[in-house]
Amino acid sequence: MTKSFYLGVIEGFYGLPWGREERLAMMPWLARLGFQAYLYAPKADGALRKAWHDPLSVDEMELLHRLGAVCRECGLTFVVGLSPYALYESYTDTEQGKLQGKVRQLVDAGIAGLALLFDDMPGNASSLAQRQIEICHDVEDWVGDLPLLMCPTYYSEDPVLDRLFGGRPDGYSQELGAGLSESVEVFWTGPKVCSEAIGGVDLENVVHGLKRPIALWDNYPVNDSKVRSEHIYIQAIEGRDESIRPFLSSHWSNAMNQPALSLPALASFAALHGQSVDTDVLTEAGIGMDVQSSLGFLAQTKRIDLSDEARGSLKSAAPKGSMACQELVDWVDGKYEFDPACLTD
């Protein structure tokens, strides 16, 4: 990851994460679609969230080592997201030591970048920004030359965040902008948590307050919420254009729980930024143009409303044995259960 503009994919949703083998298969495909970075941060990985203070197990370390190696082979920067849940409420020497131990384990596992994620946790504390700045400064020292990103607790102007996690402290973003090191990238999702459209006018004031271009965490095509989990989104991203580029340090797509079915939407992010896209990837994953045409209606039609006939047709849409086929069958059969921990729509 360099300081020049780059594209990334996030596995950062609630519910069923990508399977290990499917995840490894995705890495070369992402590189061939024009992406430069991958952020591993599934909400289901408790070792990186509410159990962040516990050391990683041998199996967890092995998973990260393997994933990092595959990313390096593909030319992707491997970033891991760590959510030190509610750490800012009591950042004692003991807690600091636990965080340092976890960060050092992640560095030893071969990560190429770290993201500190303070999202989806209570945040209405007067010292919130200063405590998060302190934590970021410490982690910056521990990771050395590795890139550091952070996601604020209030990562959008969307009032749903204030309703769910408490009213944001006055001047929160401005405090972060003034106190964080210039090298720290800050995530932002746009005017909404799931923004239908994002233009330069939506980002100008945010960039001014944070005193840096933002890392745009784009919640498309992610489908983990109660509303969105009933849909599959394979269409190209809309409502974004070149007006956003001057305000971005990077642009990240938060993918669906279904990795192969996410590929057409992911390809459109690369195309948006003028990247060369190898469309053979879509065919290899089992979601060529014919399959995409047969799935387009699922963005508007709920899974629960599908007729038996439609369900049968969908199950046979993708080539047998392909990743897309298995994902489609599992989705139709309701195996991607909604995780109520996802509070936003």
Side-chain angles (χ1 to χ4, degrees):
M1 189 188 307
T2 67
K3 286 303 173 186
S4 59
F5 179 83
Y6 62 96
L7 283 170
V9 171
I10 307 171
E11 184 184 347
F13 41 75
Y14 288 93
L16 191 66
W18 294 351
R20 177 171 179 150
E21 295 306 315
E22 288 73 22
R23 184 181 292 120
L24 294 174
M26 283 287 288
M27 297 304 110
W29 286 340
L30 296 180
R32 288 166 59 190
L33 288 181
F35 289 92
Q36 293 93 37
Y38 161 74
L39 170 54
Y40 173 80
K43 307 296 190 187
D45 191 334
L48 298 176
R49 289 179 60 76
K50 289 192 176 181
W52 66 266
H53 39 71
D54 295 334
L56 293 168
S57 68
V58 173
D59 287 344
E60 289 163 342
M61 286 288 285
E62 193 278 330
L63 168 66
L64 296 180
H65 271 295
R66 177 62 178 142
L67 191 50
V70 171
C71 284
R72 287 191 295 275
E73 291 170 6
C74 301
L76 291 175
T77 298
F78 176 45
V79 184
V80 169
L82 178 63
S83 298
Y85 193 85
L87 176 60
Y88 53 83
E89 293 178 357
S90 178
Y91 192 46
T92 64
D93 289 346
T94 299
E95 297 300 294
Q96 183 190 53
K98 291 178 180 179
L99 181 63
Q100 184 176 15
K102 193 60 162 276
V103 169
R104 285 181 171 171
Q105 268 201 303
L106 292 173
V107 173
D108 290 344
I111 66 171
L114 182 68
L116 275 177
L117 309 177
F118 296 107
D119 58 312
D120 295 357
M121 60 183 79
N124 56 337
S126 59
S127 60
L128 181 65
Q130 288 304 316
R131 184 54 58 84
Q132 291 177 349
I133 290 167
E134 180 185 358
I135 294 170
C136 285
H137 283 336
D138 285 344
V139 172
E140 206 172 5
D141 288 340
W142 302 332
V143 298
D145 294 332
L146 296 184
L148 180 64
L149 302 95
M150 74 89 72
C151 182
T153 304
Y154 300 96
Y155 49 83
S156 167
E157 295 165 349
D158 196 332
V160 69
L161 298 177
D162 303 75
R163 188 168 69 249
L164 293 173
F165 305 116
R168 70 190 70 198
D170 293 339
Y172 172 66
S173 293
Q174 290 75 15
E175 276 196 78
L176 288 179
L180 289 172
S181 300
E182 291 183 1
S183 59
V184 176
E185 289 193 71
V186 179
F187 281 118
W188 193 259
T189 65
K192 299 288 184 181
V193 173
C194 293
S195 300
E196 292 186 7
I198 305 173
V201 68
D202 299 311
L203 303 178
E204 189 170 5
N205 287 338
V206 176
V207 167
H208 178 74
L210 289 170
K211 294 181 169 55
R212 72 202 66 215
I214 62 163
L216 182 57
W217 179 306
D218 207 324
N219 275 318
Y220 184 82
V222 68
N223 63 342
D224 59 344
S225 71
K226 187 172 185 179
V227 172
R228 295 175 68 86
S229 60
E230 282 291 308
H231 299 276
I232 294 291
Y233 301 98
I234 55 97
Q235 293 89 343
I237 183 71
E238 297 179 345
R240 285 81 166 145
D241 57 36
E242 62 277 2
S243 70
I244 63 176
R245 278 293 295 272
F247 303 101
L248 304 184
S249 57
S250 54
H251 194 171
W252 300 76
S253 169
N254 194 12
M256 293 192 289
N257 295 77
Q258 302 81 22
L261 294 177
S262 298
L263 288 169
L266 295 179
S268 71
F269 277 82
L272 173 67
H273 293 286
Q275 296 290 328
S276 177
V277 177
D278 183 353
T279 55
D280 288 345
V281 166
L282 306 180
T283 302
E284 292 171 20
I287 188 161
M289 288 304 300
D290 55 337
V291 178
Q292 294 176 49
S293 297
S294 66
L295 301 185
F297 76 102
L298 293 177
Q300 288 79 38
T301 304
K302 293 181 179 180
R303 183 190 66 85
I304 197 172
D305 292 336
L306 294 172
S307 66
D308 290 342
E309 181 180 3
R311 290 169 185 264
S313 296
L314 284 172
K315 287 183 178 182
S316 60
K320 297 296 183 185
S322 67
M323 273 180 61
C325 178
Q326 189 59 56
E327 292 169 15
L328 198 54
V329 169
D330 289 344
W331 179 79
V332 169
D333 288 343
K335 293 183 180 179
Y336 290 94
E337 295 183 2
F338 165 66
D339 182 351
C342 181
L343 300 176
T344 54
D345 292 335

